[in-house]
Amino acid sequence: MRLYILLVHAVLVAQSIAALFPPGNETTHSAAVQACQQLDHTLGPSLVQSSGAEYEAAATNAWNLLNAEFAPTCIVFPQISQHVQTAMKAIYDTGSHYAVQAGSHSAMKGWNTVQDGVLIMFSQMKNASYDPVTDSITLEPGIHWQEAVTAVEPFGVAPVGGRVGDVGTGLLLGGGLSWLSPSQGYAADTFKELDVVLVTGEMVTATVTNEYSDLFRALKGGGNRFGIVTRYKVSAVHTGTNDDKSFFGGTITYNSSSAEALLKATARYVHETNDPKAVSLVTFTNAMADGQIFPVYMALLFYNGPELPTAIFGDFLSIPAVSSQLGPLSYLEVAGTLGLENDRGYVQHFGASALVGDEALFLDAFNHWSNFSATFVDSFNQTTLAFTPIPDSQIHAGRDRGGNIISAPRGQFAAVQLLQQLRIGLQDLPRVLQNGIDLLFEQIPPSPGLPLYLNECDAGQKVFQSYSDFELLKMIYAKYDPTGFNVAHTQGPIGL
Ligand SMILES: Cc1cc2nc3c(=O)[nH]c(=O)nc-3n(C[C@H](O)[C@H](O)[C@H](O)COP(=O)(O)OP(=O)(O)OC[C@H]3O[C@@H](n4cnc5c(N)ncnc54)[C@H](O)[C@@H]3O)c2cc1C
Ligand SMILES: *[C@@H]1O[C@H](CO)[C@@H](O)[C@H](O)[C@H]1NC(C)=O
Ligand SMILES: *[C@@H]1O[C@H](CO)[C@@H](O)[C@H](O)[C@H]1NC(C)=O
Ligand SMILES: *[C@@H]1O[C@H](CO)[C@@H](O)[C@H](O)[C@H]1NC(C)=O
Ligand SMILES: *[C@@H]1O[C@H](CO)[C@@H](O)[C@H](O)[C@H]1NC(C)=O
Ligand SMILES: *[C@@H]1O[C@H](CO)[C@@H](O)[C@H](O)[C@H]1NC(C)=O
């Protein structure tokens, strides 16, 4: 009986991934079996698992339910870079499909796991350390942001990382929008040194000036296509210890009556605020239950100083609010504001846009999103429309550090995030819903010249094509993966 259920489950899984590219077939399956057998010999059975409790926990670990339903042929748990080299060489030599998982928060189906392939899981590489001599933080790829920020807080420093605690270092490879971004750039802009295992298993150390400077740049926004990073050395930001309440801010919550005022305030902030000490995130969330919508709109506002200057934040502060939690905060507390978001078990979907323009443009985006939310109210548990202002200071901080491959031509725009959490019980995006999402992308197109944000896109969005340095990115990809192995054997952003 149990076997029967397992078989039925296997068939269902196989059907639901059938639409994925690249598809698994008997050839790729037997390649993965071969790679796993090799790795079982070279790395040993404790680091390479094909069944059992540790395998099951890892195979079902992903944040997005869609990524917790794959059955990798084996899962490799590296402890040092050399283990990753050994695994990548076996994957390459056998022509296996593969995937890499760090913090597991990719919403994109198949980007952090694999069917009939090898999954490299970084759950045993989670070290973080601070070196005062070089003023750098070294992160192993398996660490999550809350762990990283907590580990180095005693030294009064922080890495530029995510705004949600359970998210991991994959964020760095897509760029990274942080509470520290207005002064430091995208999180990836703080890279100092990266250990990268190339597609053949060779390992190189890339910096802004050495012979791998092109690879170094491509990894600031190029995602998982260029190699596997096994060590990130990043700049330390002197944010203070938890005793230093050097920030001020928090969360203001509004109801739907304040939507228009909040959108206008957001548009003005995006356009006008270029103070590296100021950071904000504005989120419109519709929670759904029993066919009804319960809106919760929020402004998260922080200033690296003793108060929120009214010249910058006055609009938000004067809009009628449901509640307001503002006060002096350490950076550890700022980083903890949004909590962990380790809420697994839901089908999740992302989409991206980027806007520069007047109030009407922001109102328009909101109205389209509201219609979308209302139309599919029965499919969702919640939907969110979020605006992250990207000031010029952020773009310049990145350029000063050698530039990233996102190559945004300017700042003073908003990265727009669309997040949909499906109701429990819905196991995949119904076609009609994907059509609705596609319509929404047409209704909220990115303003001309602005890059889409890789970490929060829909898998079908042409993010790389939106980068000004797309041609350069393609050249770098061709140099480091001349046979196109990664595009053919692992899922990720399209267009290379
Ligand atoms: C709740 C939530 C909050 C978020 N908040 C933010 C935010 O504040 N700012 C922001 O910028 N983004 C945010 N994101 C988006 C986030 O940056 C992406 O989801 C990111 O991909 C997550 O990285 P991860 O390590 O957790 O996920 P994973 O799924 O483990 O990794 C993401 C991708 O990177 C690849 N990858 C990971 N590590 C490596 C490596 N070492 N070498 C090569 N490839 C690798 C994976 O294969 C995968 O394709 C958020 C996402 C969620 C779900
Ligand atoms: C199996 O898949 C691989 C890669 O996706 C493809 O190159 C190959 O032609 C496929 N083989 C068969 C027999 O379908
Ligand atoms: C792990 O971090 C500690 C400090 O937190 C450091 O002393 C140690 O050298 C690090 N180990 C590795 C393998 O990086
Ligand atoms: C929103 O809150 C204000 C008071 O802060 C109240 O007057 C208004 O009726 C509320 N609107 C909704 C839709 O709940
Ligand atoms: C919606 O999400 C909340 C937690 O975020 C959960 O308690 C609830 O059960 C979910 N409802 C559905 C219908 O998925
Ligand atoms: C509202 O959304 C539905 C579903 O995507 C769509 O058919 C309809 O055209 C939308 N209406 C407007 C005014 O955009």
Side-chain angles (χ1 to χ4, degrees):
M1 184 61 187
R2 187 162 151 70
L3 181 66
Y4 171 75
I5 292 170
L6 283 175
L7 282 174
V8 170
H9 182 69
V11 170
L12 288 176
V13 167
Q15 279 171 355
S16 69
I17 64 146
L20 293 180
F21 174 80
N25 59 32
E26 266 174 44
T27 316
T28 58
H29 177 71
S30 67
V33 169
Q34 218 189 322
C36 291
Q37 278 169 357
Q38 269 185 32
L39 291 170
D40 186 66
H41 285 124
T42 48
L43 297 177
S46 72
L47 299 189
V48 184
Q49 312 218 355
S50 303
S51 63
E54 200 182 348
Y55 170 92
E56 287 299 333
T60 58
N61 172 65
W63 174 74
N64 184 356
L65 184 62
L66 290 181
N67 286 331
E69 298 177 325
F70 287 63
T73 306
C74 64
I75 304 180
V76 180
F77 299 89
Q79 294 173 333
I80 52 174
S81 299
Q82 282 90 327
H83 295 158
V84 179
Q85 291 185 260
T86 305
M88 196 60 229
K89 188 167 182 345
I91 289 164
Y92 186 73
D93 289 348
T94 57
S96 293
H97 286 180
Y98 78 102
V100 175
Q101 189 170 128
S104 89
H105 273 64
S106 179
M108 285 62 95
K109 187 175 174 178
W111 284 25
N112 63 14
T113 187
V114 62
Q115 184 69 28
D116 295 323
V118 179
L119 173 60
I120 298 174
M121 184 87 182
F122 274 122
S123 50
Q124 294 191 28
M125 288 180 73
K126 295 181 58 136
N127 210 19
S129 59
Y130 172 61
D131 175 12
V133 176
T134 58
D135 201 19
S136 316
I137 294 167
T138 297
L139 301 172
E140 287 187 339
I143 199 160
H144 300 246
W145 291 112
Q146 196 238 8
E147 297 165 336
V149 172
T150 305
V152 296
E153 171 275 331
F155 305 101
V157 297
V160 179
R163 296 167 294 190
V164 160
D166 196 39
V167 173
T169 57
L171 169 144
L172 295 167
L173 300 174
L177 297 172
S178 170
W179 298 124
L180 298 169
S181 285
S183 61
Q184 308 297 322
Y186 289 89
D189 289 322
T190 67
F191 287 167
K192 285 186 154 181
E193 225 174 76
L194 302 173
D195 285 349
V196 191
V197 174
L198 302 178
V199 66
T200 54
E202 182 195 355
M203 189 170 87
V204 302
T205 298
T207 74
V208 71
T209 49
N210 76 4
E211 62 181 305
Y212 305 109
S213 61
D214 49 359
L215 176 65
F216 186 73
R217 177 139 182 229
L219 288 164
K220 302 186 206 178
N224 66 350
R225 289 300 195 203
F226 294 80
I228 304 175
V229 179
T230 59
R231 183 181 61 102
Y232 297 92
K233 186 173 169 190
V234 301
S235 302
V237 185
H238 289 254
T239 46
T241 67
N242 196 35
D243 291 333
D244 300 316
K245 309 297 179 192
S246 47
F247 291 79
F248 191 97
T251 309
I252 306 180
T253 307
Y254 308 90
N255 69 20
S256 60
S257 303
S258 297
E260 187 173 336
L262 187 54
L263 286 154
K264 288 179 173 173
T266 306
R268 277 201 294 279
Y269 181 102
V270 167
H271 187 61
E272 289 168 16
T273 301
N274 188 25
D275 180 335
K277 292 180 170 176
V279 68
S280 72
L281 167 65
V282 181
T283 64
F284 296 84
T285 294
N286 283 333
M288 279 83 158
D290 305 324
Q292 274 191 289
I293 293 183
F294 302 91
V296 181
Y297 301 159
M298 296 196 304
L300 291 107
L301 312 170
F302 302 99
Y303 196 73
N304 190 355
E307 57 176 12
L308 288 175
T310 45
I312 297 173
F313 298 102
D315 286 353
F316 293 109
L317 298 169
S318 63
I319 299 169
V322 175
S323 68
S324 173
Q325 273 185 297
L326 302 172
L329 300 166
S330 68
Y331 184 68
L332 188 66
E333 290 164 336
V334 170
T337 305
L338 282 175
L340 283 175
E341 292 272 3
N342 53 359
D343 54 335
R344 287 163 170 73
Y346 296 91
V347 173
Q348 310 273 3
H349 179 266
F350 280 179
S353 188
L355 295 181
V356 60
D358 59 11
E359 294 168 351
L361 192 67
F362 286 71
L363 287 168
D364 206 39
F366 173 83
N367 288 333
H368 287 307
W369 170 78
S370 296
N371 171 58
F372 167 76
S373 291
T375 304
F376 298 108
V377 63
D378 292 326
S379 302
F380 297 130
N381 191 21
Q382 58 178 56
T383 58
T384 296
L385 169 72
F387 298 94
T388 299
I390 304 206
D392 270 332
S393 60
Q394 173 173 337
I395 303 306
H396 286 291
R399 286 187 196 153
D400 290 348
R401 288 171 150 145
N404 54 55
I405 204 70
I406 301 167
S407 48
R410 50 166 293 189
Q412 307 307 136
F413 66 90
V416 180
Q417 291 122 28
L418 297 159
L419 324 172
Q420 287 84 235
Q421 182 181 78
L422 270 61
R423 267 179 42 202
I424 287 175
L426 278 179
Q427 295 297 310
D428 208 339
L429 284 187
R431 170 45 45 196
V432 53
L433 194 52
Q434 185 66 53
N435 291 345
I437 288 167
D438 292 345
L439 173 64
L440 193 60
F441 290 152
E442 283 169 31
Q443 290 175 327
I444 314 179
S447 303
L450 293 182
L452 292 174
Y453 185 42
L454 177 61
N455 283 339
E456 295 181 331
C457 71
D458 173 280
Q461 289 189 293
K462 294 176 175 156
V463 174
F464 286 158
Q465 283 90 328
S466 76
Y467 293 181
S468 319
D469 280 338
F470 177 45
E471 292 304 319
L472 177 64
L473 186 73
K474 281 197 286 193
M475 278 169 55
I476 301 171
Y477 177 68
K479 177 173 165 191
Y480 287 93
D481 186 8
T483 66
F485 185 88
N486 282 336
V487 165
H489 293 82
T490 194
Q491 304 232 17
I494 55 175
L496 289 177

